[in-house]
Amino acid sequence: MSRPDWIALDWGTTNLRGWAMRRDGSVIEARTSDRGMGSLGPETFEAALREICAGWLDYGTVPIIACGMVGARQGWVEAAYTRVPCPPLSPSLTRVPGALDVSIIPGLSQADPADVMRGEETQAAGFLALNPGWDGVLCMPGSHSKWAHLSAGEVVSFRSFMTGELFAALATRTVLRHSVPAEGWDEDAFDAAVAETLSRPERLASALFTIRAKDILHGQDGARARSRLSGLLIGAELAAAKPYWLGQQIGVIGAGGLASLYVRALAAQGAPATQANATATTLAGLTAAWKQRTSS
Amino acid sequence: MSRPDWIALDWGTTNLRGWAMRRDGSVIEARTSDRGMGSLGPETFEAALREICAGWLDYGTVPIIACGMVGARQGWVEAAYTRVPCPPLSPSLTRVPGALDVSIIPGLSQADPADVMRGEETQAAGFLALNPGWDGVLCMPGSHSKWAHLSAGEVVSFRSFMTGELFAALATRTVLRHSVPAEGWDEDAFDAAVAETLSRPERLASALFTIRAKDILHGQDGARARSRLSGLLIGAELAAAKPYWLGQQIGVIGAGGLASLYVRALAAQGAPATQANATATTLAGLTAAWKQRTSS
């Protein structure tokens, strides 16, 4: 294997992903592990990093650029938030003390309404690197979905929505667990539910219980129940995020399934969105950070 | 102890409560146990019942009137739902086969929107027994809050809201668990949060994450975070239930804390509500069922 010029790391709560990179931004080798920040203690951070980089560091020191929860207060070294409005990529990265040359991309914060992101700023930077001069709104679905308004190369404002975590908590930790299976999908039920909370968001709290009641009274199909829960929550998110996406150019960043649901729901509202691959976007953001560090 | 004329049982998912009763509706003795339906299997129902009734059955067969999850499909014997509009108290109770004389009060169902209640119908019957001729809306806060429209002695319609379970799932099973303590209260934060989602219910999905963000950015006080979460969810429930309570006579059934929050939130909207004790109301409903059974 050729010697990497630098190493890209996406170190989140659940997963750790690493790429051995060439100077020109091409990938020599990619690896994924389940050693996310959430399962590690401070004494194991460096060992986990050396494990995912096995072989890549044999030729001597290699610059490592990292993003994600690695820079949180509960992470390896806290990378203080940069406050919006600002470019998604801070000009100053946070160095991890020690023998390894690790730099962390800081997350973004917003004063009012209070909000934070960590990891998504790198995706936003990558999206801008791949689409220079792009103005519009980025939707980044996930446990905590983020909507970010980008203009003139800066993140102007952003909002977080707990949609993914709400889905998981409702489907597994409430009475709905008896009616919502782990698998199964029904597009019509999803579409109808999105329309329902998008037009009448105040109905969410009561609409949720109808999923259980329909099962008790009519033995509602599990796939319908699961799609309806997803649609109700995504519809509520779209209702709340409407000031963001209405009349804007929209990019949805995400792999396959979940991001496709957002694109589908937005299309039904007459709001066409471009879907971008999350891994490619993250890697483009890490590459932009490496280039900035190298040129400065 | 004098021989009971009948026994009242409130047998829910979490608790089992029993009362040895006199013919005139007065209580000889009251007992509570944690042997709710959720912790029992079919082979232990009778033993749990005999345990809470220890001594009360020594004089021979005593009629037992029960309400709650004991009549659910996963309960002892399923008491089929009565469909609204109908009086809260079904004229026909469901008998449990066996040596004990146990009759279960059926729950209520609604076709559209699909909804069910089991236990609250007895509270509604009790409230009507204590307030003859009452017309208006009953709010019964809990894991699954119920709002019921009562007119001319019937439940006309009702809606369930997963507010209590949502609070528990969010406070203990999502990222908010880091910011929402198990104790602590701040009335101003509660009032402001109720007003926020009552006037703009679509903001719930994004307002939830601000609880976490304010903690990360400003180290928000835990009591404020907890009260804000409660207020956001109750405000969203009141927004969805507005067609029920607006311009109506309102009764809130519940013990202390939680019911008081609803009364406080409604008062802030210019909607005065009467608070009724949950235990007294349940017992009045069970008494009404016993009288109906005895006179028929």
Side-chain angles (χ1 to χ4, degrees):
Chain A
M1 197 189 91
S2 60
R3 174 187 176 142
D5 293 308
W6 65 287
I7 293 168
L9 280 189
D10 178 13
W11 205 340
T13 303
T14 315
N15 293 305
L16 167 58
R17 295 187 298 167
W19 296 266
M21 302 292 293
R22 288 193 197 89
R23 192 174 308 275
D24 64 3
S26 62
V27 176
I28 303 170
E29 191 180 0
R31 292 178 189 158
T32 300
S33 95
D34 59 359
R35 306 199 71 182
M37 279 287 138
S39 62
L40 300 173
E43 71 290 353
T44 56
F45 293 147
E46 187 173 327
L49 176 57
R50 288 189 181 274
E51 185 184 288
I52 197 122
C53 295
W56 299 347
L57 302 170
D58 292 353
Y59 310 91
T61 307
V62 177
I64 301 173
I65 309 289
C67 70
M69 294 310 287
V70 62
R73 200 169 300 166
Q74 299 82 10
W76 196 352
V77 171
E78 184 172 6
Y81 294 105
T82 313
R83 179 162 295 185
V84 297
C86 63
L89 201 56
S90 167
S92 66
L93 307 186
T94 299
R95 271 295 298 265
V96 176
L100 296 170
D101 178 9
V102 183
S103 301
I104 302 176
I105 300 175
L108 302 183
S109 70
Q110 178 173 275
D112 188 28
D115 216 326
V116 292
M117 67 164 68
R118 210 177 267 291
E120 294 88 355
E121 76 294 328
T122 303
Q123 295 193 319
F127 191 88
L128 281 182
L130 296 171
N131 304 276
W134 192 86
D135 272 21
V137 163
L138 284 185
C139 167
M140 294 169 274
S143 291
H144 304 151
S145 298
K146 310 284 181 186
W147 288 80
H149 179 206
L150 272 63
S151 181
E154 296 200 327
V155 175
V156 180
S157 67
F158 66 97
R159 290 308 301 266
S160 302
F161 299 83
M162 292 182 57
T163 307
E165 243 191 338
L166 263 175
F167 181 88
L170 284 163
T172 63
R173 302 292 181 176
T174 72
V175 71
L176 298 187
R177 70 186 182 279
H178 302 302
S179 302
V180 175
E183 300 287 334
W185 197 253
D186 181 316
E187 286 196 338
D188 293 340
F190 174 79
D191 292 345
V194 169
E196 192 174 327
T197 45
L198 221 168
S199 61
R200 303 291 299 270
E202 76 279 8
R203 292 196 181 168
L204 175 64
S206 63
L208 290 174
F209 190 76
T210 62
I211 294 173
R212 179 65 185 144
K214 279 186 180 175
D215 184 19
I216 291 175
L217 294 177
H218 313 304
Q220 178 179 244
D221 174 56
R224 284 188 67 82
R226 183 175 160 77
S227 310
R228 182 163 162 75
L229 176 58
S230 173
L232 289 173
L233 293 173
I234 290 178
E237 178 180 335
L238 292 185
K242 202 167 188 174
Y244 271 83
W245 54 262
L246 195 67
Q248 291 278 345
Q249 196 165 210
I250 308 170
V252 178
I253 300 179
L258 184 60
S260 305
L261 293 181
Y262 280 76
V263 171
R264 180 183 176 89
L266 286 163
Q269 296 301 312
T274 305
Q275 194 172 343
N277 180 281
T279 304
T281 310
T282 300
L283 204 47
L286 287 161
T287 302
W290 179 71
K291 285 182 180 164
Q292 176 184 277
R293 179 179 179 279
T294 306
S295 66
S296 67
Chain B
M1 198 190 89
S2 58
R3 174 186 176 143
D5 293 307
W6 64 287
I7 293 169
L9 280 190
D10 177 13
W11 205 339
T13 303
T14 314
N15 294 305
L16 166 58
R17 296 187 299 169
W19 296 266
M21 302 292 294
R22 288 192 196 89
R23 193 173 307 273
D24 64 3
S26 62
V27 176
I28 302 170
E29 190 180 0
R31 294 179 188 156
T32 300
S33 94
D34 59 1
R35 306 199 72 181
M37 279 286 138
S39 64
L40 299 173
E43 71 290 352
T44 56
F45 293 146
E46 186 172 329
L49 176 57
R50 288 188 180 275
E51 185 185 288
I52 197 120
C53 294
W56 298 348
L57 303 170
D58 292 353
Y59 310 91
T61 306
V62 178
I64 301 173
I65 308 289
C67 70
M69 294 309 287
V70 61
R73 200 169 302 167
Q74 300 83 11
W76 196 351
V77 171
E78 184 174 5
Y81 295 105
T82 313
R83 179 162 294 185
V84 297
C86 62
L89 201 55
S90 165
S92 68
L93 308 186
T94 299
R95 270 296 297 269
V96 175
L100 296 170
D101 179 9
V102 183
S103 301
I104 302 176
I105 300 174
L108 302 183
S109 70
Q110 179 172 274
D112 187 29
D115 216 328
V116 292
M117 67 165 67
R118 209 178 266 293
E120 294 88 354
E121 77 293 329
T122 302
Q123 295 193 319
F127 191 88
L128 282 182
L130 296 170
N131 303 277
W134 192 86
D135 273 20
V137 163
L138 284 185
C139 166
M140 296 169 272
S143 291
H144 304 151
S145 298
K146 310 283 180 186
W147 288 79
H149 179 206
L150 272 64
S151 181
E154 296 200 327
V155 176
V156 179
S157 68
F158 66 98
R159 290 307 304 263
S160 302
F161 299 82
M162 291 183 58
T163 308
E165 245 192 337
L166 263 175
F167 180 87
L170 283 163
T172 63
R173 302 290 181 175
T174 73
V175 71
L176 298 187
R177 70 186 183 279
H178 303 302
S179 302
V180 175
E183 300 286 335
W185 198 252
D186 181 315
E187 286 196 338
D188 293 339
F190 174 79
D191 291 346
V194 169
E196 192 174 328
T197 46
L198 221 167
S199 61
R200 303 291 300 269
E202 76 280 8
R203 292 197 180 167
L204 175 63
S206 62
L208 291 173
F209 191 76
T210 62
I211 294 172
R212 179 64 185 146
K214 277 186 180 172
D215 184 20
I216 291 175
L217 295 176
H218 314 304
Q220 177 179 245
D221 174 57
R224 284 188 67 80
R226 183 176 158 76
S227 310
R228 181 163 163 74
L229 176 59
S230 174
L232 289 174
L233 293 173
I234 290 178
E237 178 180 334
L238 292 185
K242 202 166 188 175
Y244 271 84
W245 55 260
L246 195 68
Q248 290 280 345
Q249 198 167 208
I250 307 170
V252 178
I253 300 179
L258 182 61
S260 305
L261 293 181
Y262 279 76
V263 170
R264 179 182 177 89
L266 285 164
Q269 297 301 313
T274 306
Q275 194 172 343
N277 181 281
T279 304
T281 310
T282 300
L283 205 46
L286 287 161
T287 303
W290 179 73
K291 284 182 181 163
Q292 175 184 278
R293 179 179 179 280
T294 307
S295 66
S296 65

Coordinates of all heavy atoms in Angstrom, one line a residue, chain A residues 84-85 110 117 147-150 154-159 244:
Chain A
V84 N -22.6 30.9 14.3 CA -23.1 31.4 13.0 C -23.6 32.8 13.2 O -23.9 33.2 14.3 CB -24.3 30.5 12.5 CG1 -23.8 29.1 12.3 CG2 -25.5 30.5 13.5
P85 N -23.7 33.6 12.1 CA -23.3 33.3 10.8 C -21.8 33.2 10.6 O -21.1 34.0 11.1 CB -23.9 34.4 9.9 CG -24.0 35.6 10.9 CD -24.2 35.0 12.2
Q110 N -25.5 28.4 17.6 CA -26.4 29.5 17.3 C -27.0 30.0 18.6 O -27.3 29.2 19.5 CB -27.5 29.0 16.4 CG -28.5 30.0 16.0 CD -29.5 29.5 14.9 OE1 -29.3 29.5 13.7 NE2 -30.6 28.9 15.4
M117 N -24.5 22.1 16.3 CA -24.3 20.9 15.4 C -22.8 20.5 15.5 O -21.9 21.4 15.8 CB -24.7 21.2 14.0 CG -23.8 22.3 13.2 SD -24.1 22.2 11.4 CE -25.7 22.8 11.2
W147 N -31.5 21.4 9.6 CA -31.8 22.2 8.5 C -30.9 23.4 8.6 O -30.9 24.1 9.6 CB -33.2 22.7 8.5 CG -34.2 21.6 8.2 CD1 -34.6 20.6 9.1 CD2 -34.8 21.3 6.9 NE1 -35.5 19.8 8.4 CE2 -35.6 20.2 7.1 CE3 -34.8 21.9 5.7 CZ2 -36.4 19.6 6.1 CZ3 -35.6 21.3 4.7 CH2 -36.4 20.2 4.9
A148 N -30.1 23.7 7.5 CA -29.1 24.8 7.5 C -29.3 25.7 6.3 O -29.5 25.2 5.2 CB -27.7 24.3 7.6
H149 N -29.4 27.0 6.6 CA -29.6 28.0 5.5 C -28.2 28.5 5.1 O -27.5 29.1 5.9 CB -30.4 29.1 5.9 CG -30.6 30.2 4.9 ND1 -30.9 31.5 5.2 CD2 -30.5 30.1 3.5 CE1 -31.0 32.2 4.0 NE2 -30.8 31.4 3.0
L150 N -27.8 28.2 3.8 CA -26.4 28.6 3.3 C -26.6 29.7 2.4 O -27.4 29.6 1.4 CB -25.8 27.4 2.7 CG -24.9 26.5 3.5 CD1 -25.8 25.8 4.5 CD2 -24.2 25.4 2.6
E154 N -21.6 31.0 3.6 CA -21.8 30.9 5.1 C -23.0 30.2 5.5 O -24.0 30.1 4.8 CB -21.9 32.3 5.7 CG -20.6 33.2 5.5 CD -20.5 34.3 6.5 OE1 -21.6 34.9 6.8 OE2 -19.4 34.7 6.9
V155 N -23.0 29.6 6.7 CA -24.2 29.1 7.3 C -24.8 30.3 8.0 O -24.3 30.8 9.0 CB -23.9 28.0 8.4 CG1 -25.2 27.5 9.1 CG2 -23.3 26.8 7.7
V156 N -26.0 30.7 7.5 CA -26.7 31.9 8.1 C -27.4 31.5 9.4 O -27.3 32.2 10.4 CB -27.7 32.4 7.1 CG1 -28.4 33.7 7.6 CG2 -27.0 32.7 5.8
S157 N -28.1 30.4 9.4 CA -28.8 29.9 10.6 C -29.1 28.4 10.4 O -29.0 27.9 9.3 CB -30.1 30.7 10.7 OG -31.0 30.4 9.7
F158 N -29.5 27.8 11.5 CA -29.9 26.4 11.4 C -30.8 26.0 12.5 O -30.9 26.7 13.5 CB -28.6 25.5 11.3 CG -27.8 25.5 12.6 CD1 -28.0 24.4 13.5 CD2 -26.9 26.4 12.9 CE1 -27.2 24.4 14.7 CE2 -26.1 26.4 14.0 CZ -26.3 25.4 15.0
R159 N -31.5 24.8 12.3 CA -32.4 24.3 13.4 C -32.2 22.8 13.4 O -32.1 22.1 12.4 CB -33.9 24.6 13.0 CG -34.3 26.0 13.2 CD -34.0 26.7 14.5 NE -34.5 26.1 15.7 CZ -35.6 26.4 16.3 NH1 -36.4 27.4 15.8 NH2 -36.0 25.9 17.4
Y244 N -37.7 27.5 6.4 CA -36.4 27.1 5.8 C -36.6 26.8 4.4 O -35.9 27.3 3.5 CB -35.7 26.0 6.6 CG -34.8 26.5 7.7 CD1 -35.4 26.8 8.9 CD2 -33.5 26.8 7.5 CE1 -34.6 27.3 10.0 CE2 -32.7 27.3 8.5 CZ -33.3 27.6 9.7 OH -32.5 28.1 10.7

